[in-house]
Amino acid sequence: MLVRIAGPGLAITYLSLLVLLPIAAVLSKAFSGGLGALWSAVSQPEAVAALKLTLLCSLGVAAFNSVAGLVIAWMLVRDEFPGKRIVGAIIDLPFALPTVVAGLTLLSLYGPDSPFGVDVAGTPFGILLALAFVTLPFSVRSVQPVLVELDREAEEAAASLGATSAVTLRRIVLPSIAPAMLAGAGLAFARAVGEFGSVVLISGNLPFKTQVASSWIFSLSQSDDLSAAAAVSILLVAIALAVLVGIGLVRRRFNVDESI
Amino acid sequence: MTTRWRWPIRVAALGYLGLLIVIPVGSVFYRAFEHGLGAAWDAISTPDAVHALLLTLLVVLIAVPANTIFGVGTALILARHRFRGAWLLDALVDIPLAISPVVVGLALILVYGKAGWFGNLLAGWGIQVIFSVPGIVMASAAVSLPYVVREVLPVLQEIGDEQEQAAATLGAGPLATFRRITLPSIRHGLAYGVTLTTARVLGEFGAVVIVSGAIEGRTQTLTLFIQDSVDNLNPVGAYAGSVILALIALVVLAILGRNTEGKERRWQSTSDQFQSDSEKPLLSTT
């Protein structure tokens, strides 16, 4: 009986000290100056520019990577070639690699010392590259299991009835994998809006040009403007949570449709 | 899809992976050693670099065991006990996966910093958390908190509690039951979760940079050392430090790859929490 009460109590205490109380403190700090102060913190020109850049880059990368993820997942599921298992493992490298190292790897190849002569450091392209790197596993791993389950007979039937590859893709394949692609894009987007470590080295953090929202929060906290940092944080967290809840709904809806 | 698409797909997929992941990671190894092994060794054997490495190891040694105990305990509570608000605890565990690491760090400052909720209390006790090692440990533990729960909980739910009850009926105490019955059956999930936790703690940057103050030789972890080396035009130090972390990442991948042989990978952090039961992987029977 003691364990029944003490167990959850200890778990909740640990969780509270590390996560719940701190998050409550962010909420309280963000609203401490009233709604007016909150609004002025998120409508500051630097904040607006950073949020706009973050959302646009995240959206662009989520969209691009859902197509790239589909192509890569397709190859991993339908194709056979030597070394395929290694390629499969490489997909997860961005999860295992520390974000700062990811940023440095991209900087070493696409920065000022680029052997290709491609220098995207300090430009929005650098941000896109970093976000593409860290979110690629979400895009591939979301569609891959669905492709494995996909009914190949329907594709063969379509082909035998004279459908071209493009028609088969559009009419048969895409409708079945669309929810998974959407979920993958959502996860990639949610990850991208909060990303910091991989972006910080390659973006150059130029206000109004290449400063993302997380980086703006960081610089606010460095200059001890904690309430403004909390206000922008709340907005960022709200966006990510809304997308994640949306994915949950898409998944549930999809499962219901399937059972009918 | 006809075979005529096979090559275009291969070229596009492998080309993208090559340009985005393989060549950049390879180039870090090249850059670290382009001035010879000696230069790389010198760059990471400076007092600051060694201190950063040791501090990172210290953080791993505290945060990973703490999260492992919390993770196994919470998974057991959620799987074996019915209580009000269990669903809430289950959902709250995932919070760190959904929010930016920078926000996690800021949140800790607002509670444990000088002007934070517990600031006066901690100052009275003479404990400094923020801009000090305890803050780094807490930030690392906070961002890596969900992994063990998320890996162990599905396994516990899958195996059920029949064996545990049988052991209890035969007179085994709770500890003996855990050690002899529960632990052996969750060991793969646990190993997976601990590996993920370790990888995250070793490589965390955003949450740590904001609470650490990055004081060289005092509160600088390996990831902060890398960033500092880039900023201070010490590229060999940055690349050599990155090679250490990249090698660890490759080991992590190898461990994870071996553990998930034949089953669906499920460590896409945020994706786990919204997976329906039908998508959960089969448990690895031992």
Side-chain angles (χ1 to χ4, degrees):
Chain A
M1 200 59 219
L2 186 69
V3 176
R4 287 206 152 184
I5 301 164
L10 280 174
I12 290 165
T13 306
Y14 185 78
L15 190 63
S16 301
L17 288 174
L18 285 180
V19 179
L20 303 183
L21 278 175
I23 296 299
V26 175
L27 275 169
S28 129
K29 192 78 181 176
F31 289 101
S32 62
L35 279 177
L38 180 83
W39 175 249
S40 74
V42 297
S43 59
Q44 245 178 302
E46 287 101 327
V48 173
L51 285 164
K52 218 191 245 173
L53 179 71
T54 306
L55 294 180
L56 280 176
C57 286
S58 303
L59 212 58
V61 163
F64 186 82
N65 262 0
S66 55
V67 177
L70 174 62
V71 173
I72 294 168
W74 187 277
M75 180 187 73
L76 289 176
V77 172
R78 295 288 175 92
D79 204 351
E80 284 303 329
F81 55 90
K84 197 175 102 170
R85 280 191 44 198
I86 295 172
V87 176
I90 287 170
I91 306 293
D92 286 332
L93 190 57
F95 279 145
L97 200 67
T99 51
V100 165
V101 179
L104 186 65
T105 62
L106 294 172
L107 191 66
S108 78
L109 203 61
Y110 303 111
D113 305 330
S114 169
F116 303 154
V118 182
D119 182 6
V120 295
T123 73
F125 289 108
I127 300 172
L128 292 172
L129 206 57
L131 295 180
F133 186 101
V134 296
T135 60
L136 185 66
F138 294 105
S139 311
V140 178
R141 298 299 182 208
S142 300
V143 288
Q144 198 178 357
V146 187
L147 279 181
V148 171
E149 306 270 307
L150 203 65
D151 183 10
R152 285 196 204 192
E153 282 174 22
E155 286 168 54
E156 281 159 17
S160 72
L161 292 171
T164 61
S165 299
V167 171
T168 311
L169 181 71
R170 209 182 63 223
R171 296 280 186 84
I172 310 283
V173 179
L174 282 183
S176 346
I177 59 168
M181 275 178 87
L182 198 62
L187 290 171
F189 179 83
R191 166 73 198 253
V193 289
E195 183 55 25
F196 181 69
S198 62
V199 173
V200 79
L201 288 181
I202 202 164
S203 77
N205 289 316
L206 309 168
F208 297 107
K209 266 189 70 195
T210 60
Q211 188 170 51
V212 294
S214 59
S215 174
W216 173 237
I217 293 170
F218 177 67
S219 72
L220 284 172
S221 85
Q222 295 300 92
S223 54
D224 234 13
D225 193 352
L226 295 180
S227 11
V232 181
S233 297
I234 291 297
L235 192 59
L236 207 59
V237 170
I239 293 168
L241 279 182
V243 170
L244 291 175
V245 169
I247 295 168
L249 293 178
V250 167
R251 283 210 161 122
R252 196 165 303 168
R253 173 80 183 270
F254 174 54
N255 286 342
V256 170
D257 285 354
E258 212 175 32
S259 67
I260 290 171
Chain B
M1 193 89 11
T2 48
T3 47
R4 116 187 123 89
W5 283 99
R6 180 181 294 160
W7 276 101
I9 285 177
R10 276 184 192 175
V11 171
L14 295 176
Y16 189 57
L17 285 173
L19 289 172
L20 191 64
I21 299 176
V22 180
I23 303 174
V25 173
S27 89
V28 161
F29 281 82
Y30 172 76
R31 293 272 165 111
F33 299 117
E34 72 181 328
H35 304 293
L37 264 174
W41 177 253
D42 290 345
I44 51 161
S45 54
T46 62
D48 283 351
V50 172
H51 185 275
L53 187 62
L54 290 177
L55 179 59
T56 302
L57 290 178
L58 175 71
V59 174
V60 167
L61 284 178
I62 302 171
V64 174
N67 274 351
T68 304
I69 294 168
F70 166 79
V72 173
T74 304
L76 276 171
I77 290 164
L78 288 173
R80 298 287 181 258
H81 299 284
R82 297 247 154 259
F83 61 99
R84 266 189 220 202
W87 67 271
L88 189 62
L89 177 60
D90 194 13
L92 291 175
V93 165
D94 284 329
I95 288 181
L97 297 178
I99 65 184
S100 173
V102 174
V103 177
V104 173
L106 173 72
L108 288 170
I109 291 180
L110 291 174
V111 175
Y112 303 102
K114 225 180 358 189
W117 284 357
F118 298 163
N120 286 332
L121 193 68
L122 289 167
W125 292 340
I127 302 172
Q128 191 185 6
V129 173
I130 300 302
F131 303 140
S132 181
V133 175
I136 298 175
V137 173
M138 290 179 85
S140 308
V143 291
S144 62
L145 182 136
Y147 296 113
V148 173
V149 185
R150 287 294 151 238
E151 294 306 323
V152 172
L153 183 57
V155 182
L156 281 175
Q157 285 167 338
E158 192 77 31
I159 59 175
D161 61 352
E162 282 169 23
Q163 291 197 348
E164 288 167 18
Q165 283 180 357
T169 314
L170 293 171
L175 272 181
T177 310
F178 177 76
R179 204 166 50 86
R180 299 277 192 86
I181 307 289
T182 317
L183 198 55
S185 39
I186 63 170
R187 67 168 197 267
H188 284 281
L190 184 60
Y192 203 76
V194 170
T195 308
L196 291 176
T197 310
T198 309
R200 184 66 198 259
V201 170
L202 276 172
E204 183 51 31
F205 177 71
V208 168
V209 74
I210 199 164
V211 298
S212 75
I215 306 159
E216 275 165 57
R218 273 190 48 214
T219 61
Q220 205 172 52
T221 61
L222 203 47
T223 50
L224 301 184
F225 170 79
I226 291 169
Q227 190 229 9
D228 190 55
S229 300
V230 174
D231 288 347
N232 291 314
L233 305 178
N234 170 22
V236 182
Y239 289 124
S242 293
V243 160
I244 296 177
L245 288 174
L247 285 174
I248 295 171
L250 291 175
V251 171
V252 166
L253 273 191
I255 294 173
L256 298 181
R258 234 186 36 180
N259 262 340
T260 49
E261 203 81 333
K263 61 172 194 176
E264 186 194 334
R265 279 154 211 266
R266 50 179 307 279
W267 61 297
Q268 287 98 319
S269 55
T270 33
S271 68
D272 296 349
Q273 53 189 316
F274 295 101
Q275 276 183 353
S276 65
D277 287 335
S278 60
E279 285 170 285
K280 293 225 168 104
L282 294 171
L283 104 130
S284 57
T285 41
T286 52

